[in-house]
Amino acid sequence: MPSLLSQWHFILPLVLIMLLGTILIKCLPFKVLRYGLYTGLHLLGLLQLFCIERKQAFAQYMDYEELYFNPQVLQTISLSSWGWLICQWFGLLLLVYWVAGKAKKVMTHYPSFDVVKPQWVWLVLFGVSVLLAPDIYRNSLVSIRNTLANLWVDDHSTVYANSYQPLNGIFAASQLGSDYSIIAHASGGFIRTTVKGDREAVRYSNSVNGAEQSIADGKKLIELDFLSTSDGELIAGHDWPRVKAFLGYQGQHDRKLQNNSPLTYAEFTSLRESSEIKPLDIKQANALFEKDKSLILVTDKTQDYPKLVEGFHFPERLIVECFSLYQCKRAHRYGIVNTALNIRLDNPEILDYLRRNHISMVTFRGVETQDTQLFERAKAMLNAGVVTLVYTHADDVAYLQQHIGVTASAVYSDFFSLQSQTLITP
């Protein structure tokens, strides 16, 4: 099914605006004025349809405020999508003109409209339709604004224009083996011995066990995911089924048998006392970061920024990954200075976008050296002064050796050891 059909919540207000606008223009005198307004309305409508299609096909990861045009704009929509877009546009025009013509005849044949001029009726309805669809017009205006803004963006070779250096420049000379080159993912993985005597690798624990081993290994970037208990306390966990499985809730250690309902804080702490794997809470996290003032906390799960700022006592040592520009701005409003915007490197103008929005730190999925275009784009971003925190689908020592200091300031890892420069295995 063509992608535009799935955007009905934007298409319907657009149809309403076009219809009422056309009817209103039909009621106006002077052919030249009508034709001029028709042309303007149709161009604006086509731009809006184009923006909707482009967001659907190319920039799904962006908010509408972040949607913008670039010199390669014609390449971002496939030929088939262009064809469907044009067909839809002509179909929309036929429908609009047919309904508008019928409406004008009805209006002129009812004498009751002599008291209230038809133009004013349609003008009011047109105004209401615009108010009901703010995203449509905001999208077009933001696109036009950012198109103009692109004319003043510097070339990629220039130094990144931002006076703020995240965390006093700790990533400036990043290389594999340095304290801030590896992010201990979900507190870091560790090896445990099961009740049967087998050695088992544990990931995603967000635990005291993992954090203490990561700190002992020399890692300074500790990533923790945070969840809220049912009574509003922050605890570290990737998801509730996993947390419950680690704690053995109701005697079950298989996360597939656990549901997503949060525990109370009392239930959480009670179960943790007898558990081998001990997920952290925000109080224990504060104790670890109080003890070692060189540690940096990285987090992404929670968007309850007021609670995070209130609970974590060292906001100057906090990096929050955000998945939209809106969330970055929202985090800043609550006093979080260090935000990292999650991006996709298939956007050819991403560095211009970062400059324009004063973004100093990003996260993205790692790219392979053989993917030349994306590799060079990531490399240019790091060379321009952007801090790049990179995640991959698996721990790979060769990848770390090739990319840290080249495309990545730091890489998320479960089992890479800074001390031995190898992976920790059972």
Side-chain angles (χ1 to χ4, degrees):
M1 180 176 291
S3 60
L4 273 172
L5 293 182
S6 65
Q7 298 291 299
W8 61 269
H9 52 295
F10 291 114
I11 298 295
L12 285 181
L14 175 58
V15 171
L16 182 60
I17 290 169
M18 292 296 298
L19 174 61
L20 294 176
T22 301
I23 294 172
L24 178 61
I25 292 169
K26 276 182 175 290
C27 296
L28 297 175
F30 308 117
K31 279 188 176 182
V32 175
L33 176 62
R34 287 204 302 271
Y35 289 149
L37 290 174
Y38 281 145
T39 303
L41 184 66
H42 296 166
L43 287 175
L44 183 60
L46 184 59
L47 172 64
Q48 291 160 357
L49 262 186
F50 179 77
C51 290
I52 293 168
E53 172 66 20
R54 187 166 186 268
K55 175 174 171 59
Q56 177 72 8
F58 175 67
Q60 296 177 9
Y61 64 102
M62 287 183 173
D63 289 341
Y64 263 104
E65 288 83 356
E66 300 173 69
L67 188 62
Y68 64 96
F69 292 147
N70 57 58
Q72 289 79 23
V73 67
L74 299 182
Q75 302 171 16
T76 63
I77 297 183
S78 65
L79 186 61
S80 60
S81 294
W82 271 111
W84 171 245
L85 192 66
I86 292 169
C87 290
Q88 273 201 121
W89 177 246
F90 280 111
L92 175 61
L93 285 185
L94 288 174
L95 175 65
V96 164
Y97 273 102
W98 182 81
V99 175
K102 293 290 185 184
K104 186 180 179 184
K105 287 182 180 179
V106 171
M107 295 284 285
T108 54
H109 280 81
Y110 279 88
S112 58
F113 277 97
D114 288 343
V115 180
V116 180
K117 292 292 183 182
Q119 294 93 322
W120 292 109
V121 174
W122 295 121
L123 183 61
V124 170
L125 289 175
F126 182 73
V128 170
S129 70
V130 171
L131 291 175
L132 292 176
D135 280 338
I136 295 293
Y137 277 91
R138 182 179 62 188
N139 177 30
S140 296
L141 293 173
V142 167
S143 298
I144 293 169
R145 179 202 68 192
N146 288 340
T147 301
L148 295 174
N150 270 335
L151 299 176
W152 285 274
V153 172
D154 294 332
D155 183 73
H156 286 191
S157 62
T158 59
V159 177
Y160 186 61
N162 196 331
S163 59
Y164 168 64
Q165 288 295 315
L167 297 159
N168 299 316
I170 61 172
F171 298 103
S174 182
Q175 58 182 353
L176 183 60
S178 62
D179 291 349
Y180 296 97
S181 61
I182 297 294
I183 304 168
H185 180 227
S187 80
F190 63 95
I191 308 301
R192 74 175 185 122
T193 304
T194 66
V195 291
K196 296 180 181 180
D198 301 324
R199 285 172 61 79
E200 176 186 57
V202 180
R203 301 168 68 237
Y204 290 102
S205 69
N206 287 278
S207 64
V208 176
N209 319 56
E212 288 181 343
Q213 288 199 26
S214 294
I215 294 168
D217 186 52
K219 298 183 181 77
K220 302 298 184 183
L221 296 166
I222 310 298
E223 194 252 353
L224 296 174
D225 305 308
F226 284 105
L227 302 169
S228 290
T229 62
S230 60
D231 47 352
E233 296 292 330
L234 283 179
I235 63 100
H238 186 271
D239 53 75
W240 275 110
R242 199 181 300 266
V243 172
K244 289 178 175 179
F246 282 140
L247 297 175
Y249 179 65
Q250 295 181 337
Q252 294 289 349
H253 289 277
D254 185 348
R255 66 187 177 92
K256 295 179 182 178
L257 301 177
Q258 301 286 0
N259 61 33
N260 204 39
S261 300
L263 301 174
T264 66
Y265 184 66
E267 288 175 319
F268 172 80
T269 53
S270 176
L271 287 166
R272 186 175 59 186
E273 286 180 9
S274 58
S275 174
E276 179 190 354
I277 298 174
K278 300 182 182 298
L280 288 152
D281 58 40
I282 196 68
K283 297 174 185 175
Q284 292 175 317
N286 280 322
L288 286 174
F289 281 76
E290 173 65 35
K291 186 176 180 181
D292 187 341
K293 292 181 170 52
S294 63
L295 298 179
I296 305 295
L297 174 64
V298 183
T299 190
D300 65 350
K301 284 293 178 186
T302 183
Q303 292 183 359
D304 191 345
Y305 302 134
K307 184 180 291 183
L308 182 60
V309 170
E310 178 185 359
F312 186 62
H313 297 165
F314 311 98
E316 73 283 358
R317 291 193 277 142
L318 172 65
I319 298 173
V320 173
E321 181 184 13
C322 302
F323 293 89
S324 72
L325 182 63
Y326 168 75
Q327 290 298 341
C328 283
K329 291 178 178 178
R330 184 169 164 267
H332 291 161
R333 284 202 298 271
Y334 288 107
I336 297 171
V337 177
N338 306 300
T339 58
L341 177 65
N342 180 259
I343 62 169
R344 281 172 48 179
L345 288 176
D346 56 2
N347 182 343
E349 298 297 311
I350 189 63
L351 186 53
D352 289 344
Y353 174 75
L354 299 179
R355 285 194 181 103
R356 187 165 56 244
N357 289 288
H358 309 291
I359 296 167
S360 303
M361 190 167 8
V362 298
T363 65
F364 57 82
R365 182 174 295 280
V367 296
E368 299 297 334
T369 51
Q370 57 266 32
D371 192 340
T372 308
Q373 188 178 55
L374 298 187
F375 177 80
E376 290 300 324
R377 197 169 292 157
K379 188 176 174 181
M381 195 178 305
L382 189 67
N383 290 339
V386 181
V387 173
T388 57
L389 310 180
V390 176
Y391 51 91
T392 60
H393 59 85
D395 277 337
D396 184 344
V397 176
Y399 183 91
L400 300 177
Q401 292 170 340
Q402 292 169 4
H403 287 265
I404 292 178
V406 179
T407 66
S409 304
V411 176
Y412 291 80
S413 175
D414 291 296
F415 295 108
F416 182 78
S417 168
L418 279 179
Q419 291 185 352
S420 66
Q421 300 285 292
T422 58
L423 296 181
I424 303 169
T425 57

